């Protein structure tokens, strides 16, 4: 943004970037061959993410889970991905998926897309105005609602961001999988950080 002349030029560049990214991801998603995916293994990894940890950490998670021994687990997934790849693998775009693995009954809710899809409410940008280099844009509500993720979600009024916040605050175990804990999503990491009753594991 530092090199952009004004908001008009910003909109042209941003829209082109967003459209190009969406087209690229759509083409990549078309190459996904669901038949090559071992769903049983995928479900095991989803229900038991601790399997990826070291023995000591795995034992901590296992001991923590014993607090709910005999109870069914409910899994809620929040993705930053713009594609519907997860839904295709899980086969539960709108319904709960029921899994029975290792004596656990697990319910998997439909995936929540925090940043939208390639063809719907796509959110692409930064965490706050301090990450926008052009100071002139800090006072421009149109730029802020386009580029600042939280503001973009609020402007769209779809309430997915509120739903995701509630999911995080109610969680007992949070697993961050394949995501860098970076500055552009700081507002989400802060919500997780304030959820003191939760056990957090990160698998990169």
């Amino acid at each position: 943004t530092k090199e952009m002349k004004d908001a008009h030029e910003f909109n042209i560049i941003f829209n082109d970037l967003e459209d190009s990214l969406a087209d690229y991801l759509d083409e990549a998603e078309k190459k996904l061959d669901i038949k090559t995916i071992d769903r049983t293994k995928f479900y095991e990894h989803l229900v038991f993410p601790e399997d990826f940890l070291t023995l000591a950490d795995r034992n901590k998670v296992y001991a923590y889970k014993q607090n709910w021994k005999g109870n069914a687990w409910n899994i809620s997934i929040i993705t930053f991905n713009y594609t519907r790849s997860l839904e295709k693998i899980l086969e539960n775009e709108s319904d709960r998926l029921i899994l029975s693995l290792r004596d656990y009954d697990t319910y998997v809710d439909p995936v929540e897309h925090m940043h939208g899809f390639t063809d719907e409410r796509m959110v692409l940008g930064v965490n706050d105005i301090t990450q926008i280099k052009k100071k002139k844009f800090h006072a421009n509500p149109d730029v802020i609602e386009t580029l600042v993720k939280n503001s973009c979600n609020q402007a769209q009024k779809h309430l997915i961001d509120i739903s995701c916040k509630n999911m995080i605050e109610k969680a007992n175990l949070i697993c961050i999988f394949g995501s860098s804990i970076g500055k552009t999503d700081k507002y989400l990491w802060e919500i997780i950080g304030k959820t003191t009753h939760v056990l957090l594991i990160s698998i990169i």
Side-chain angles (χ1 to χ4, degrees):
T1 60
K2 186 179 179 182
E3 306 302 324
M4 295 176 187
K5 290 182 292 186
D6 51 33
H8 176 69
E9 184 179 50
F10 164 79
N11 285 328
I12 292 172
I13 293 171
F14 184 88
N15 289 335
D16 180 64
L17 177 63
E18 190 174 62
D19 290 344
S20 297
L21 176 60
D23 290 343
Y24 171 80
L25 292 174
D26 285 340
E27 287 302 312
E29 188 175 8
K30 288 176 185 176
K31 296 176 184 177
L32 175 65
D33 185 358
I34 298 296
K35 295 177 183 176
T36 64
I37 295 172
D38 185 340
R39 278 200 174 90
T40 301
K41 191 173 183 180
F42 181 87
Y43 295 151
E44 284 272 339
H45 291 170
L46 182 64
V47 178
F48 305 103
E50 64 270 21
D51 287 354
F52 289 95
L53 303 177
T54 61
L55 182 59
D57 289 337
R58 187 162 65 242
N59 286 340
K60 286 179 184 178
V61 176
Y62 178 75
Y64 180 72
K65 279 186 167 184
Q66 293 305 298
N67 292 319
W68 297 274
K69 189 175 182 179
N71 293 319
W73 278 89
N74 191 80
I75 294 179
S76 301
I77 300 173
I78 300 172
T79 182
F80 295 171
N81 197 311
Y82 304 111
T83 72
R84 292 176 171 82
S85 300
L86 267 176
E87 286 90 329
K88 290 176 181 177
I89 297 169
L90 290 167
E91 297 182 305
N92 74 327
E93 189 148 346
S94 58
D95 299 319
R96 292 181 101 195
L97 177 69
I98 303 173
L99 302 173
S100 294
L101 299 168
R102 303 186 200 173
D103 299 323
Y104 279 91
D105 286 330
T106 305
Y107 300 89
V108 184
D109 292 328
V111 179
E112 290 281 18
H113 286 256
M114 185 71 178
H115 296 157
F117 305 88
T118 57
D119 60 351
E120 182 186 346
R121 60 176 181 80
M122 194 173 188
V123 176
L124 178 67
V126 297
N127 186 75
D128 54 69
I129 61 172
T130 65
Q131 296 172 355
I132 301 174
K133 289 288 184 181
K134 194 171 191 71
K135 304 290 186 185
K136 181 181 176 182
F137 288 166
H138 290 190
N140 188 315
D142 291 333
V143 173
I144 291 171
E145 289 180 358
T146 300
L147 197 57
V148 176
K149 292 178 181 177
N150 204 24
S151 297
C152 183
N153 272 324
Q154 289 176 10
Q156 292 183 31
K157 299 181 180 180
H158 47 59
L159 301 180
I160 301 296
D161 52 330
I162 302 301
S163 174
C164 290
K165 182 176 183 289
N166 290 338
M167 286 160 56
I168 291 170
E169 291 175 342
K170 291 177 181 177
N172 296 113
L173 174 67
I174 293 177
C175 176
I176 300 172
F177 181 79
S179 177
S180 61
I181 305 176
K183 293 179 180 178
T184 57
D185 291 303
K186 182 181 174 183
Y187 70 104
L188 272 178
W189 311 135
E190 287 178 339
I191 293 171
I192 292 173
K194 291 174 183 175
T195 309
T196 55
H197 65 275
V198 72
L199 178 64
L200 174 68
I201 60 176
S202 179
I203 302 168
I204 303 299

